Amino acid sequence: MKHLVSIRDISREEILELIDLAGKVEKNPEKYAHALDGKIMATLFYEPSTRTRLSFETAMHRLGGRVIGFSDAKVSSAKKGESIADTIRMASAYSDVIVLRHFLEGSGRVAVEYSDVPVISGGTGIQEHPSQALLDVYTIYKHFGRLNNLTIGLLGDLRYGRTIPSLLYAISKFKDNKVFLFSPPELRTRMSVLNDVRDNIEAIIRQDLKSNIEELDVLYVTRVQKERFPDEASYERVKDFYVIDPEIARRMNKNSIIMHPLPRINEISYEVDSLPQAKYFEQAKNGVWMRMALLLKLIGETK
Amino acid sequence: MKHLVSIRDISREEILELIDLAGKVEKNPEKYAHALDGKIMATLFYEPSTRTRLSFETAMHRLGGRVIGFSDAKVSSAKKGESIADTIRMASAYSDVIVLRHFLEGSGRVAVEYSDVPVISGGTGIQEHPSQALLDVYTIYKHFGRLNNLTIGLLGDLRYGRTIPSLLYAISKFKDNKVFLFSPPELRTRMSVLNDVRDNIEAIIRQDLKSNIEELDVLYVTRVQKERFPDEASYERVKDFYVIDPEIARRMNKNSIIMHPLPRINEISYEVDSLPQAKYFEQAKNGVWMRMALLLKLIGETK
Amino acid sequence: MKHLVSIRDISREEILELIDLAGKVEKNPEKYAHALDGKIMATLFYEPSTRTRLSFETAMHRLGGRVIGFSDAKVSSAKKGESIADTIRMASAYSDVIVLRHFLEGSGRVAVEYSDVPVISGGTGIQEHPSQALLDVYTIYKHFGRLNNLTIGLLGDLRYGRTIPSLLYAISKFKDNKVFLFSPPELRTRMSVLNDVRDNIEAIIRQDLKSNIEELDVLYVTRVQKERFPDEASYERVKDFYVIDPEIARRMNKNSIIMHPLPRINEISYEVDSLPQAKYFEQAKNGVWMRMALLLKLIGETK
């Protein structure tokens, strides 16, 4: 494991190792406070992000490392027309690890080709967001003690976000998992993704959450954006199926959890935040521990 | 003192303690160079700022701490519609202290409600800028050795800036102070603010600075912005009363000082900069010492 | 040497000292890892830049120092109309060294006048980019072991970029150098610059690269921007003379090198990158070593 640009590139064993390391870091962060002293991380963010960028930067600082980068492509040489390849070559001359967020499909692969240092995708193209998938499975593992034999509902926009494909690929490395895909027809998971994971996941496509809510161990919510629909009426017709309120949450199993990659707009109502199922803020916090593990694995001494 | 979102929340004793600590830090900064090693400050700036953001960041670095954040809401999840509450919950999961600048009234209170870590207002709404008020009183205290029994002139836009209400609230915690409020009628201090401080401050409203200039210990200048006036003529009629030139400065008492929260545009002419009364650049520098004191008090060991 | 706002201000000996120090830093960076512990660099960038800003920040971090600043004038007080002089006074109250990028001619001189700490131009006005010139001569010196008796071709836009005048001034401090100035008539080096360096440099103006390509030790390429031409036809007429492809590169002397300040758009084709002459990525990397040397010289203990 030299880079992380797709969750598909790493094995089940590597995922479990990262989960184990993230757990150690969470238990004893002081032990790692100087693990990356003298190292530099470059965060090259061509798209807006708060959570991913800030949690990677927090992770690096908590390991003693330093951060350079940009969070707005307009202030970078991209504005002058520089290619990703050249920007990556520059960043790899300055830093010890690169975190790239870019809208272009394949930008992560290009980065790996031109970089002399490890590259981590911080969200690239429409289906790669591997560090998000890792913190998601870390959150699930911490709660259930396993990544097998779970019933997971994915809800909302399963088509255009990067989070869902990455998470599906991660889950597909484990056994006996059943996944409900709850979405309006317009926002169903792409067939190419489904075909890739079908051998290992029992995938069930549903439009309506309500009939299967009691079965779920995990309900993973994403936002349904109005602008994805052809017209107002199509949106109005479906939007209410995809807002989680306390009534729905209370129908869920006592030991079940509700997750969300965040930012959340209104697809989970604020009253849910205080219910025991609400796991999304802890999930965000887990991002720091997992990203510390990832940085340790890629550029730490003990790799 | 767990947060600082309004100067009204802290007592006279706490202000004097912070002034005392800022003085110690200024005298011996090396002593505190590692006081916040391993701590992280999140600067969440939804409005442009140079001085406040950079002086907080400088303060944190000079204490050994690290900084994450954003200085442009466009590159953050706010663009995607995330609420302040959720952004604060995220930042508080990543950091040890949050500095928030936000245009919305009450945003500081919301932040406190949702944060697990201390929150400092770096300018919120139209009347809260508590760290500015603290550095202002620190500057006055350093020069006069007291915060009682002073005659202070506030000049310019006393209505729309955050600085003036915060400073008035700070001064109102001390005794026997007389405040002249020099402004055009359109830019007078809000009645609600005046009512809050009238018991402790003798407040005199004036349109023209000239007749009282010799009485002042402190002349605190703020900018009169053309766009605050209903028409060009109203602006033209008053603007010349509110530009401080060497002639005015020389009429002031020898031991008096001229302050300004900066940035200054043309409301103090450049020739004044070299006069002994000009205190505004030292005032800016005092911001670092006071913010170091504030960070030490809120997240240091010795709190 | 207290500041670096123009390469014209420093002597040949100082250039050679900086080259020597950059070489020591490159050989043994660990030795300098804590040389600037506790120091703060302010990067004030009023124009977009990736390479200059990130390499200065990398240099500061690799020396143990910290960084504050802005990379977008819109988020700073400049938006509110603050003068450079006042912004510099503020930054010099917060930091130990200032790196300024600004579009205005003379902004570097203004900064020096108002700063209490060393100022480095990170590109100011239309002809000052001294740290770029230093990394350029460092790259040439590393390859040839000398800065005398070289034949250097400068190609492309020799009129509007800051890089070319700075490099010419740097070269003019050494002896027996011959410089070909290859450009379309519209983009020729300004006469004022040529007059300044003519006593020490044999300067030959050419429109076409091809007849002199075999003579060159160094080919320094810059981008020809369409918008510099009065009309499309003028641009179309010349643009092909100024794209370096492998055919041209192969006609060059075996020991010769191709340089470019980057970002490169299409003026050097990607096939050239793997040829032995291609030196531009190493040149970018040299920027970190040279900027470390510069920071050490200006604010290190051993100055």
Side-chain angles (χ1 to χ4, degrees), chain C residues 16-34:
Chain C
L16 290 170
E17 272 171 46
L18 283 165
I19 287 175
D20 182 59
L21 182 53
K24 285 179 184 159
V25 171
E26 182 171 358
K27 259 187 214 94
N28 193 3
E30 288 76 17
K31 188 184 158 191
Y32 301 89
H34 296 282

Side-chain angles (χ1 to χ4, degrees), chain C residues 13 16 47 60 62 74 87 90 100 114 136 148 151 157 163 192 210 217 237 263 281 288 295 300:
Chain C
E13 286 64 37
L16 290 170
E47 283 190 332
M60 193 64 182
R62 295 230 184 267
K74 281 195 308 299
T87 303
M90 169 200 67
L100 174 71
Y114 289 97
D136 290 343
N148 296 318
T151 302
D157 178 356
T163 309
S192 61
K210 301 201 172 153
D217 295 307
R237 185 171 47 77
F281 294 121
V288 177
L295 291 168

